[in-house]
Amino acid sequence: MRGAGSTGIDKKYRLVYFWIMKKSERTRQFIVEKTAPIFNVKGYAGTSIADMTEATGLTKGSIYGNFANKDEVALAAFEHNWQRVKTTVRAEMDKRSTSKDRLLALVGVYQDLQSHDFPQGGCPLLNTAVEADGTHPDLREKAMDAFNGWLKNIVTVIETGVAAGEFRASVDAEQTALTLIALIEGGLMISQLTGNVGHRTAVMPAVERTILDLT
């Protein structure tokens, strides 16, 4: 009987443990979702604990009870913001059937960010790369991983297009992917610096021409 009772108690404690863990995960996710826009707008250095407590309605102790420090929150916030970008771009690309049209989906997204689920504050890759370079190695590494993943994705689309005969066999997939990213991020940077959305949209025809010239 003791064995049966012990099993029942163990099961109860396991359920309590999983409930606590689930609650902790939900709290962490809540903190990330609420602070991600702030980190993307103000940056790592500009975001204070006061900003985080105000955004979440939680105390400093509650936040740091779920994250070891501000660095952990910032890293999770970047991942959250970049995931939103990837999800938005992937959703638009997945609507297209050809490699050319999948690349042109990039133009559609970055031409009209307001119509898509893009993070407040602009591109998290651009924002993080500029701020973290040489000052926050962990954030810089996150940004590098994000860039490399984006580059690889575009290269794959271009190589698929070459294999299918959509694009010229002589196309350098990596160089073209770098050019597309540089044009897009450059347009975002100038637009953000000047506060003029027209500068970003003015670059998009160049992105489109680069894609069309692959055929």
Side-chain angles (χ1 to χ4, degrees):
M1 293 296 293
R2 284 197 301 271
S6 176
T7 300
I9 293 172
D10 289 345
K11 182 178 180 181
K12 177 181 177 181
Y13 281 130
R14 284 200 299 271
L15 289 173
V16 171
Y17 171 78
F18 285 125
W19 180 83
I20 292 172
M21 291 300 294
K22 285 293 183 182
K23 183 179 179 181
S24 176
E25 290 171 9
R26 288 195 298 269
T27 303
R28 283 176 61 91
Q29 185 61 25
F30 173 78
I31 293 170
V32 170
E33 290 176 357
K34 292 298 184 181
T35 60
I38 302 172
F39 278 105
N40 204 39
V41 172
K42 290 190 171 185
Y44 173 81
T47 300
S48 66
I49 183 60
D51 291 324
M52 291 189 280
T53 56
E54 182 179 355
T56 60
L58 301 174
T59 64
K60 176 180 178 180
S62 295
I63 292 174
Y64 288 157
N66 287 277
F67 292 90
N69 48 41
K70 178 181 170 182
D71 287 10
E72 272 198 5
V73 184
L75 292 171
F78 172 78
E79 289 181 351
H80 176 78
N81 285 324
W82 185 242
Q83 185 60 48
R84 284 182 61 184
V85 173
K86 290 195 299 180
T87 298
T88 296
V89 172
R90 186 182 300 117
E92 292 303 311
M93 293 181 78
D94 286 348
K95 295 176 183 177
R96 318 295 180 91
S97 57
T98 67
S99 295
K100 181 180 74 174
D101 285 343
R102 286 173 66 80
L103 292 179
L104 288 172
L106 292 169
V107 178
V109 171
Y110 288 94
Q111 182 82 31
D112 187 17
L113 295 181
Q114 309 90 283
S115 299
H116 297 89
D117 184 30
F118 215 77
Q120 180 183 348
C123 179
L125 176 58
L126 172 64
N127 297 342
T128 304
V130 170
E131 183 185 28
D133 186 25
T135 60
H136 198 304
D138 290 339
L139 267 177
R140 183 176 184 276
E141 185 176 350
K142 285 285 185 186
M144 276 293 297
D145 288 343
F147 166 76
N148 287 329
W150 191 14
L151 179 68
K152 183 179 179 180
N153 177 260
I154 296 178
V155 167
T156 299
V157 174
I158 295 172
E159 289 177 341
T160 300
V162 171
E166 287 185 58
F167 302 144
R168 300 188 314 276
S170 60
V171 168
D172 186 321
E174 184 166 339
Q175 181 181 353
T176 303
L178 282 169
T179 300
L180 293 175
I181 292 175
L183 285 169
I184 292 170
E185 291 296 316
L188 289 168
M189 183 273 291
I190 295 170
S191 177
Q192 191 165 310
L193 175 66
T194 61
N196 188 338
V197 175
H199 289 150
R200 185 190 75 238
T201 57
V203 172
M204 290 305 114
V207 177
E208 184 173 1
R209 284 195 300 273
T210 301
I211 296 167
L212 296 177
D213 285 346
L214 298 176
T215 58

